Amino acid sequence: MTTEATAEQAQQALRDEFEMFDNWMDRYQYIIDMGKALPDFPEEWKRNELKIQGCQSNVWMHHHRDGDRIHFDAVSDAAIVSGLIAVLMRIYNDRTAADIRGTSPHFLADLGLDKHLSPTRSNGLDAMLKRIYEVAEQEAA
């Protein structure tokens, strides 16, 4: 379960954490370390229908409902992408569909990810966000 009370508070906490670092090499390392802490992802979930299209590296995302909340699990074979997954999980995991749909991904600009990720990583991050929002739309229907 998410420790922050709201997705907005999760985004603020990430902003605060990123401000502790003086340069982008340290921020990248922090993102990579976040990815290393992701929960295990069962091999049987690594199926084509759970694979995120648009990512240069392999990314799989699984979800299920837990009451009125949506729980996501995801994994990548790339360290930095795993870290980006961890960032997304901090903001969107274990939220209601309405919360997810109502949460703008302004953390991209707030953290500087919009300017410091390569185009292929940005495309992959956009594809993961798109999947999260699609799941929220389907679960809200």
Side-chain angles (χ1 to χ4, degrees):
M1 190 61 97
T2 321
T3 56
E4 288 84 15
T6 67
E8 193 56 47
Q9 288 170 328
Q11 291 192 73
Q12 180 60 51
L14 280 165
R15 275 193 301 276
D16 294 346
E17 290 166 24
F18 269 65
E19 286 175 8
M20 295 186 303
F21 302 105
D22 296 330
N23 62 63
W24 264 93
M25 289 309 294
D26 291 341
R27 289 177 180 159
Y28 280 129
Q29 187 59 53
Y30 185 64
I31 290 170
I32 289 168
D33 290 344
M34 288 175 66
K36 291 177 182 174
L38 285 171
D40 289 338
F41 192 88
E43 283 297 317
E44 63 265 20
W45 288 352
K46 291 182 180 178
R47 303 186 309 260
N48 275 344
E49 66 269 19
L50 298 179
K51 194 169 184 181
I52 305 286
Q53 302 305 316
C55 293
Q56 185 175 7
S57 56
N58 290 313
V59 176
W60 294 270
M61 187 177 291
H62 177 271
H63 74 276
H64 68 271
R65 286 191 73 121
D66 186 7
D68 64 341
R69 297 180 181 271
I70 303 169
H71 179 80
F72 293 94
D73 288 289
V75 70
S76 174
D77 58 1
I80 193 84
V81 177
S82 292
L84 295 174
I85 290 168
V87 168
L88 292 174
M89 295 301 107
R90 286 264 307 266
I91 297 166
Y92 296 100
N93 197 25
D94 293 322
R95 309 264 181 223
T96 66
D99 286 343
I100 292 169
R101 293 168 51 219
T103 300
S104 165
H106 60 80
F107 70 92
L108 296 171
D110 295 346
L111 302 180
L113 293 173
D114 57 340
K115 293 182 176 67
H116 288 91
L117 290 178
S118 68
T120 55
R121 286 192 183 120
S122 288
N123 289 343
L125 183 59
D126 289 343
M128 290 185 285
L129 269 168
K130 183 178 179 209
R131 172 74 62 90
I132 289 169
Y133 285 117
E134 285 172 353
V135 166
E137 286 294 325
Q138 292 166 1
E139 292 293 333

